[in-house]
Amino acid sequence: MQEADNYISGEEMSRRLGISRAAVWKHIKKLKEEGYSILSVTNKGYRLRGGPDNISPERVSAMLDTGYIGRRIVHLNSVDSTNEEAKRRFDMPEGSLFIAETQQSGKGRLGRAWRSPRNGGIWMSLLLKPDISFSELPQITLAAGIAVCRAIGSGARIKWPNDIVIGSRKVCGILTEMAAEPDRINYVVCGIGINANIEQFPEELSQKATSIYNETGAKQDRDALTARVMNEFERVYEVFKSEGFGALSDEYSSECVTLGRRVQVIYRNKSVTGNAVMVDENGALIVETEDGRIAVTSGEVSVRGIYGYI
């Protein structure tokens, strides 16, 4: 079925293709799921209005200036999650990029679901194989945050440790996972989900989530944005591997919207309130509380003025 001004009936397609009307309907449904815009009108039939606006690995590759990050691209129409796909293909070279048009089981920190609509965002994961200690693993998430902020621009900043926000709402989440043996890390998967062109969010997310399009009024070229993230990621990642997170901590701190704000922290199984004062050279969030300073390396951190915390 090709794009045309006229409609073509299900009966006519059935005759031409030699399949049943039910089979025609199933194929139409599948095409719609893959991003094709098909108008259905009773007594007239179907009309193709446009094809899917998919990521183009070829265009992404043409815009890369990296040595290895993003040089191998696995492009998927649909997947459970790009992180899981990267884990399944852990034997691929470092820097391999897994990117999907939609995820069926996208996830964020603490097992939360991550909404991944077709054509609205960039859902991708990088396979990494750094020679680092277990204590350094969370710093990859922080380094990735710097790269994404650079790539997005438009006032994007970092909410410690793994969210990118514009204003007071989330535009990107980063989830880093690993596979390891007792004495070494085998590989790391860094998942990045960017709300690029999503126009509407479910009511329960409308006060917490936004998109670059909603904030800027400009539709994003997803291929170009993907390439920018890859280019910036390699630059940041190389500094991290050679010099450690300490060499990036000043830039991270300058982009961290958490600092200087009142925060609530789930710390050692209790809720603690204080002022976020710095991110140290190891990537820990230093919070000044009534009982002194604490170094937060993991857990839930709510920031006053971000995501509705008042």
Side-chain angles (χ1 to χ4, degrees):
M1 183 177 67
Q2 296 184 358
E3 187 170 7
D5 292 333
N6 297 323
Y7 290 86
I8 181 169
S9 69
E11 182 179 358
E12 178 66 12
M13 282 191 283
S14 174
R15 185 185 64 79
R16 291 186 187 183
L17 298 173
I19 59 177
S20 68
R21 290 284 297 276
V24 168
W25 182 84
K26 288 181 180 179
H27 285 298
I28 294 291
K29 183 173 181 289
K30 180 67 173 176
L31 288 170
K32 287 182 177 180
E33 290 172 353
E34 292 178 0
Y36 286 87
S37 176
I38 299 173
L39 190 62
S40 304
V41 177
T42 303
N43 297 325
K44 295 183 73 173
Y46 304 99
R47 179 185 172 201
L48 178 64
R49 295 195 296 183
D53 177 25
N54 287 345
I55 295 283
S56 166
E58 293 76 20
R59 285 196 69 226
V60 173
S61 295
M63 290 183 275
L64 292 177
D65 60 19
T66 61
Y68 63 102
I69 294 294
R71 286 296 175 180
R72 294 284 296 274
I73 300 177
V74 176
H75 178 245
L76 303 153
N77 176 55
S78 179
V79 72
D80 49 358
S81 84
T82 55
N83 267 28
E84 293 303 316
E85 186 68 15
K87 293 176 193 176
R88 288 189 285 265
R89 303 200 194 186
F90 68 89
D91 56 344
M92 288 185 66
E94 181 173 39
S96 294
L97 173 65
F98 301 82
I99 190 163
E101 297 301 328
T102 184
Q103 298 179 116
Q104 303 305 316
S105 303
K107 58 185 178 180
R109 289 182 72 237
L110 306 178
R112 295 191 180 100
W114 177 267
R115 185 171 176 268
S116 311
R118 186 178 298 278
N119 298 332
I122 299 170
W123 325 123
M124 60 184 175
S125 299
L126 277 167
L127 178 64
L128 306 171
K129 301 180 180 181
D131 182 14
I132 60 174
S133 65
F134 289 95
S135 63
E136 294 173 294
L137 177 67
Q139 298 167 15
I140 292 181
T141 300
L142 308 188
I146 295 173
V148 173
C149 271
R150 289 180 184 177
I152 291 178
S154 302
R157 300 190 69 193
I158 304 166
K159 175 186 172 291
W160 187 94
N162 70 319
D163 289 353
I164 308 300
V165 301
I166 298 179
S168 62
R169 294 186 290 180
K170 181 174 180 176
V171 75
C172 170
I174 301 168
L175 178 65
T176 302
E177 301 178 289
M178 72 169 180
E181 297 176 25
D183 59 341
R184 68 186 181 96
I185 294 173
N186 292 327
Y187 64 85
V188 174
V189 174
C190 183
I192 301 171
I194 303 175
N195 297 333
N197 293 323
I198 300 175
E199 297 184 28
Q200 291 186 318
F201 291 85
E203 185 176 350
E204 66 271 17
L205 296 177
S206 61
Q207 298 303 310
K208 299 179 179 180
T210 189
S211 68
I212 304 172
Y213 170 73
N214 282 348
E215 297 301 317
T216 65
K219 284 288 186 179
Q220 300 299 299
D221 180 331
R222 292 189 299 148
D223 297 331
L225 180 53
T226 299
R228 290 201 303 274
V229 174
M230 295 299 99
N231 293 337
E232 295 295 350
F233 189 97
E234 181 165 295
R235 285 188 271 271
V236 171
Y237 185 56
E238 285 299 301
V239 172
F240 168 71
K241 289 195 297 181
S242 62
E243 303 178 48
F245 180 74
L248 299 166
S249 60
D250 285 348
E251 181 176 359
Y252 185 92
S253 295
S254 70
E255 297 294 345
C256 185
V257 72
T258 308
L259 298 183
R261 291 179 183 255
R262 195 76 172 165
V263 298
Q264 289 181 339
V265 181
I266 304 300
Y267 178 74
R268 295 180 179 174
N269 296 320
K270 64 179 181 179
S271 178
V272 177
T273 302
N275 295 316
V277 295
M278 65 179 290
V279 175
D280 70 16
E281 63 181 13
N282 297 313
L285 180 68
I286 307 302
V287 179
E288 187 78 59
T289 73
E290 292 180 352
D291 299 321
R293 290 190 171 189
I294 59 173
V296 182
T297 57
S298 63
E300 189 75 1
V301 177
S302 299
V303 182
R304 176 165 291 174
I306 304 292
Y307 308 165
Y309 168 43
I310 299 173

